[in-house]
Amino acid sequence: MAEALIQILIVIFSVLLLGGIIWALLRHNTRKLSPRELAAIDGISEAGAVKRLSVRPFLLWLERFFISCESLWFDQDFIYVFDGQKLAARYKFEQILTLEVTKIRINHARIWRIRFADGASELERSSANKSEQDGVREYKFAPAASIFTPNFKEFLQILREKNREAIKTEPRFWEIV
């Protein structure tokens, strides 16, 4: 009887784990903005102009304790912060104070911290769930860095051109390939 109960619990746990991984990979990390999110950005009409900066690695739904809930996107001029489907903030590259790596890793992905100066966007005044200290907004994210989507590499190139002193930690080779 106890063995049957243990087997049932193992099957339930396996189904939940596999379902969570599939949901996180397919639903949470879309490659393009949805039409609703794209409509929230003024002056952008094509989804290919805005690229994903952050991804959400799967850690049995515990990743929310280590990274920000918002998703980060960027184009040539701005960094966009989406809270779900809503545009929460928009920053210029010149308003970045620091971009540095943390000591946290989730599934072998290094977690990065980006900090923005206060007063960067009129959109961010309405949301109160970001960490704030001394007028600084901070987000932690896993970069969208892979061989097939070199978005983090493009982001770093733009940041080097516009605000080189903000980069406190240089990325490793595999993050910029």
Side-chain angles (χ1 to χ4, degrees), residues 31 51 144-152 154 174-177:
R31 290 184 176 216
K51 298 179 180 172
S146 72
I147 295 172
F148 304 108
T149 56
N151 293 349
F152 192 59
E154 293 176 27
W174 291 112
E175 292 170 330
I176 58 172
V177 170

Side-chain angles (χ1 to χ4, degrees), residues 87-133:
L87 180 64
R90 178 175 58 198
Y91 300 98
K92 292 183 179 180
F93 281 90
E94 293 81 12
Q95 294 168 322
I96 297 175
L97 295 176
T98 60
L99 175 69
E100 59 189 357
V101 73
T102 64
K103 293 182 180 181
I104 302 169
R105 288 181 175 266
I106 299 176
N107 298 337
H108 301 288
R110 297 191 321 166
I111 304 302
W112 288 74
R113 177 184 307 131
I114 188 167
R115 300 175 79 195
F116 296 98
D118 188 29
S121 174
E122 67 277 355
L123 298 170
E124 72 179 351
R125 292 185 189 119
S126 63
S127 64
N129 59 350
K130 296 173 211 53
S131 58
E132 178 183 351
Q133 68 182 63

Side-chain angles (χ1 to χ4, degrees), residues 12-125:
I12 290 172
F13 178 74
S14 300
V15 167
L16 287 174
L17 179 63
L18 184 63
I21 291 171
I22 291 171
W23 179 79
L25 292 176
L26 298 179
R27 181 73 177 135
H28 247 205
N29 293 320
T30 57
R31 290 184 176 216
K32 293 185 179 180
L33 288 173
S34 69
R36 185 176 179 189
E37 292 170 331
L38 194 59
I41 301 173
D42 297 330
I44 303 286
S45 60
E46 62 181 67
V50 180
K51 298 179 180 172
R52 187 171 187 89
L53 176 60
S54 65
V55 294
R56 294 190 58 84
F58 181 69
L59 186 65
L60 297 173
W61 299 283
L62 297 174
E63 66 272 1
R64 67 178 182 260
F65 296 115
F66 303 108
I67 61 176
S68 301
C69 295
E70 297 85 9
S71 63
L72 302 172
W73 297 76
F74 72 98
D75 62 7
Q76 292 294 325
D77 301 317
F78 294 102
I79 299 168
Y80 304 100
V81 179
F82 282 92
D83 189 9
Q85 295 282 322
K86 180 184 168 208
L87 180 64
R90 178 175 58 198
Y91 300 98
K92 292 183 179 180
F93 281 90
E94 293 81 12
Q95 294 168 322
I96 297 175
L97 295 176
T98 60
L99 175 69
E100 59 189 357
V101 73
T102 64
K103 293 182 180 181
I104 302 169
R105 288 181 175 266
I106 299 176
N107 298 337
H108 301 288
R110 297 191 321 166
I111 304 302
W112 288 74
R113 177 184 307 131
I114 188 167
R115 300 175 79 195
F116 296 98
D118 188 29
S121 174
E122 67 277 355
L123 298 170
E124 72 179 351
R125 292 185 189 119

Side-chain angles (χ1 to χ4, degrees), residues 99-101 110 112 143 145 152-153 155-157 160 167-177:
L99 175 69
E100 59 189 357
V101 73
R110 297 191 321 166
W112 288 74
F152 192 59
K153 178 182 179 181
F155 171 75
L156 286 173
Q157 288 174 346
R160 281 189 186 107
I167 301 174
K168 302 299 180 192
T169 306
E170 285 298 323
R172 293 188 180 159
F173 175 75
W174 291 112
E175 292 170 330
I176 58 172
V177 170

